[in-house]
Amino acid sequence: MASAPASILGIDRSLSGKIWRWRGGNMDVGAVGGGGGGMATLEHDLVTQLLLARGVPHDDLERHRNPSLRAFLPDPSEFRDMDAAAERLAQAVLTQEQVTIYGDYDVDGATSAALLIRLLRDLGHAARYYIPDRLLEGYGPSGEALVRLAEEGSSLIVTVDCGAMAFEALDMAHAAGVDVVVVDHHKCAAELPRAMALVNPNRLDESDLAAGFGHLAAVGVAFLLGVATVRVLRQRGFFEGKREPDLFALLDLVALGTVADVAQLHGLNRAFVAQGLKVMAKREGIGMAALIDASRLSRAPSCSDLGFALGPRINAGGRVGESTLGVRLLTTEDPDEARDIAAQLSGLNEERRAIEAAVQEEAEAQLATQHNRAVVTLAGAGWHPGVIGIVAGRIKEKTGKPALVIALDADEHGNGKGSGRSISGVDLGAAIIAAREAGLLIAGGGHAMAAGLTVAPGQLDALADWLDARLGADVAAAMAGQSLPLDLALAPGGLTPSLVEAMDSAGPYGMGWPGPRVAVGPVRLVKADLVGTDHVRLIARGEDGGSFKAIAFRAASTDLGQALLHGSQGRRLWLAGRAKIDDWASRPQAELHLDDAAWID
């Protein structure tokens, strides 16, 4: 058995209990980048190292330096049922049938629905949309809703970001005589529901090539369906004498849905986001421009803005407001309406934050009873189902374990609605599907890192025990292997805006393509204090005379935060985190968003 790689910088255990290791090769560049050749050489070498450390083969580096759709987009026909779905959608355009896009209520669902609606509009077809209410209808297609849409005249319904496990609902739709095309990315069972076509790279019967795109969000799959549909129409002569729709103009929607759904940002997804951010910067989408303005961004959005500023506002409609607001915003052609909806979503997002904080406090109060659990399972009456996924993510970050947060009495039958978030190496979605098949859940599904479920109140303890038994070994192995991967080590004088810009050029970063983490030291803390309620703010100075600011978010009550606030006393240490540019000052400066720290002596 191969031995674990040695710790680096002489750090066997950090203040947060982790071992520091190189993500790739040794990148200790000292104060100014090391070696000759200047910043251009450093940038090229650094980007190469960052790409290699993220799994890019040497012979594929150039394709990944500037990820383009041309380099990464597959032939949509590689996916099962894609040709049938595209033919059916093209037929609806040609015959002007009534089409309804049935989307999930989150960002991925909203962007997927908006993408198909806008594409169909460009093709001269006015599609309807239907977004279920999270509280009244729950996740996934409702059979009653599908039948009602058929009775109202829709002969084709396209479900996006849902439907892969909707057996009963799709049976009802089939009986009503309506064609349903499912566009999804969630895990599938061996048996598939009855649909005219089911496009999902995570079908168990997918080809090896198509299964390699299982990391796509639903909006990415919807984009591929758009490509395939336009191709069918082109082959049928639909565009003779008229322009084809600009599919690239829809990439801002693909980028937003991909990042907000925490999809793996490698391969095609990375190209989607890189190109989508360029489209977003042009501000040509009326709804997207209003959303950017409502988020108080005075510059072109970055990848992190999609996850932390734009996405939460779209999500707020489905969580605590009106589920259709996101689709309405992203499809409107009226700037005034766009501004009004964006402002409404911002208000709902503030309301969501307050609700989330209350549920978070109650959930954390239960943690003491969970210390022996491999999967943290928390439940409470009166918890808002719209925020339990966010709280589950917070609990996962706090404990380092997969977490389920369940809102009890969430429907008229007294059942609980739960949402889960997992850690790398633990497939929570597969476990939830297995729990449903074992009779422990009324409904459930998801993917490796996130899942949703409906559970009868009498099954809570049995579910928690079953998950512990199934996932305990995986969780133990994942936690035992916890380390802090570092890309770069340097002295404080080397932490500069130029270095941050060089590292950013290997982005966009996100899930599956982690942002670079740097270690800076040795330093002593000049200042350590609280900012807000639980953030730790630092000023550090190195032996080379360089100094910089750092902040550890939500860390005041942690061992790391307490050590920084009260235990430094002039001791030397290394600080590790994400280097960012602070442009609030008269001139931009580099600062560190802290993940960890370690004493030197």
Side-chain angles (χ1 to χ4, degrees):
M1 178 181 296
S3 60
S7 59
I8 61 173
L9 305 175
I11 295 164
D12 293 322
R13 186 174 179 83
S14 70
L15 292 179
S16 63
K18 293 184 174 66
I19 298 172
W20 292 7
R21 306 193 192 282
W22 292 121
R23 195 190 308 275
N26 185 330
M27 282 291 285
D28 187 344
V29 300
V32 295
M39 182 53 68
T41 299
L42 169 62
E43 178 175 346
H44 187 274
D45 292 345
L46 179 56
V47 170
T48 296
Q49 181 63 36
L50 294 175
L51 294 176
L52 292 172
R54 282 149 187 78
V56 177
H58 278 273
D59 59 3
D60 205 17
L61 284 170
E62 292 311 310
R63 188 168 69 120
H64 286 79
R65 287 188 191 278
N66 295 293
S68 67
L69 286 193
R70 182 182 298 276
F72 286 94
L73 196 70
D75 182 344
S77 295
E78 293 286 348
F79 295 81
R80 289 192 181 274
D81 282 4
M82 180 67 83
D83 288 344
E87 290 280 355
R88 185 64 185 89
L89 195 54
Q91 177 188 340
V93 171
L94 292 167
T95 58
Q96 287 296 299
E97 298 175 54
Q98 183 167 298
V99 178
T100 297
I101 311 299
Y102 192 116
D104 188 27
Y105 39 66
D106 69 358
V107 184
D108 194 16
T111 52
S112 299
L115 185 149
L116 291 180
I117 290 165
R118 285 172 52 181
L119 173 60
L120 291 170
R121 180 193 296 161
D122 285 348
L123 294 170
H125 191 288
R128 302 175 64 190
Y129 60 82
Y130 187 91
I131 310 295
D133 184 280
R134 179 189 291 263
L135 300 182
L136 299 179
E137 298 176 85
Y139 170 77
S142 153
E144 291 78 7
L146 295 177
V147 171
R148 186 167 63 252
L149 292 171
E151 292 172 346
E152 293 171 356
S154 291
S155 55
L156 174 61
I157 299 172
V158 182
T159 71
V160 288
D161 196 30
C162 58
M165 300 290 288
F167 293 92
E168 182 180 349
L170 295 190
D171 280 344
M172 292 176 65
H174 180 78
V178 62
D179 287 340
V180 178
V181 169
V182 175
V183 178
D184 204 353
H185 70 130
H186 293 98
K187 286 187 176 293
C188 295
E191 179 185 357
L192 297 175
R194 180 179 292 184
M196 189 270 159
L198 195 156
V199 185
N200 184 337
N202 287 305
R203 287 175 55 154
L204 297 181
D205 60 348
E206 261 299 2
S207 67
D208 290 343
L209 189 152
F213 292 90
H215 62 295
L216 294 181
V219 70
V221 183
F223 183 85
L224 292 175
L225 175 58
V227 173
T229 302
V230 169
R231 182 168 62 186
V232 171
L233 291 170
R234 184 187 306 121
Q235 291 168 348
R236 295 192 183 184
F238 181 78
F239 298 114
E240 291 180 8
K242 64 177 75 170
R243 68 170 182 84
E244 293 192 13
D246 182 6
L247 288 166
F248 275 69
L250 301 173
L251 288 176
D252 57 346
L253 296 173
V254 183
L256 177 57
T258 297
V259 173
D261 211 53
V262 202
Q264 299 279 321
L265 287 196
H266 56 78
L268 179 56
N269 275 348
R270 189 161 162 261
F272 275 148
V273 174
Q275 302 306 318
L277 287 171
K278 295 177 183 177
V279 174
M280 205 173 288
K282 297 177 181 178
R283 296 175 55 91
E284 292 176 351
I286 292 171
M288 193 70 74
L291 182 63
I292 293 169
D293 290 340
S295 302
R296 301 184 181 89
L297 294 175
S298 58
R299 48 167 173 75
S302 66
C303 190
S304 62
D305 293 326
L306 307 190
F308 295 104
L310 307 188
R313 284 170 166 78
I314 297 292
N315 254 336
R319 292 188 186 280
V320 299
E322 182 185 340
S323 61
T324 63
L325 287 174
V327 174
R328 285 171 53 198
L329 173 65
L330 297 174
T331 58
T332 185
E333 296 179 295
D334 182 343
D336 291 333
E337 181 184 28
R339 281 192 293 271
D340 290 344
I341 296 174
Q344 187 177 352
L345 286 170
S346 286
L348 288 169
N349 193 45
E350 292 302 314
E351 181 182 340
R352 184 271 305 167
R353 289 179 188 226
I355 295 171
E356 174 195 330
V359 174
Q360 177 85 20
E361 183 177 359
E362 292 186 27
E364 289 193 3
Q366 296 183 21
L367 281 179
T369 66
Q370 297 282 315
H371 64 278
N372 289 324
R373 288 285 188 195
V375 179
V376 177
T377 305
L378 309 173
W383 290 359
H384 197 298
V387 302
I388 54 176
I390 303 173
V391 174
R394 301 272 192 217
I395 298 296
K396 178 204 75 170
E397 293 298 326
K398 188 179 185 71
T399 62
K401 299 178 179 180
L404 284 175
V405 176
I406 300 169
L408 300 177
D409 301 318
D411 63 20
E412 65 274 18
H413 305 295
N415 296 315
K417 298 286 186 181
S419 188
R421 298 294 182 267
S422 194
I423 60 177
S424 295
V426 181
D427 191 337
L428 184 61
I432 292 300
I433 291 173
R436 178 183 60 78
E437 293 173 344
L440 292 167
L441 297 173
I442 297 168
H447 44 81
M449 300 299 288
L453 58 89
T454 302
V455 60
Q459 291 279 42
L460 278 176
D461 289 341
L463 173 65
D465 290 342
W466 189 92
L467 288 172
D468 271 6
R470 179 182 174 94
L471 296 177
D474 291 344
V475 173
M479 294 185 70
Q482 282 186 349
S483 60
L484 192 78
L486 295 173
D487 293 279
L488 192 66
L490 64 158
L495 186 63
T496 64
S498 295
L499 181 75
V500 178
E501 291 169 359
M503 291 191 294
D504 285 348
S505 67
Y509 298 106
M511 180 62 67
W513 194 267
R517 185 180 285 113
V518 303
V520 187
V523 299
R524 287 184 170 85
L525 299 185
V526 177
K527 181 179 181 181
D529 61 5
L530 281 175
V531 58
T533 57
D534 55 354
H535 309 313
V536 179
R537 179 175 56 186
L538 309 170
I539 297 178
R541 178 174 291 121
E543 296 168 349
D544 63 348
S547 63
F548 60 93
K549 293 188 294 184
I551 185 165
F553 293 105
R554 293 185 295 275
S557 62
T558 66
D559 292 343
L560 170 65
Q562 287 297 302
L564 294 172
L565 286 168
H566 306 298
S568 61
Q569 300 173 341
R571 298 174 66 184
R572 296 192 309 156
L573 71 164
W574 282 93
L575 301 179
R578 317 282 183 173
K580 303 290 182 179
I581 293 180
D582 175 14
D583 51 13
W584 284 98
S586 56
R587 60 185 181 86
Q589 295 180 324
E591 63 179 19
L592 201 61
H593 290 187
L594 210 63
D595 293 323
D596 205 353
W599 303 124
I600 295 175
D601 48 32

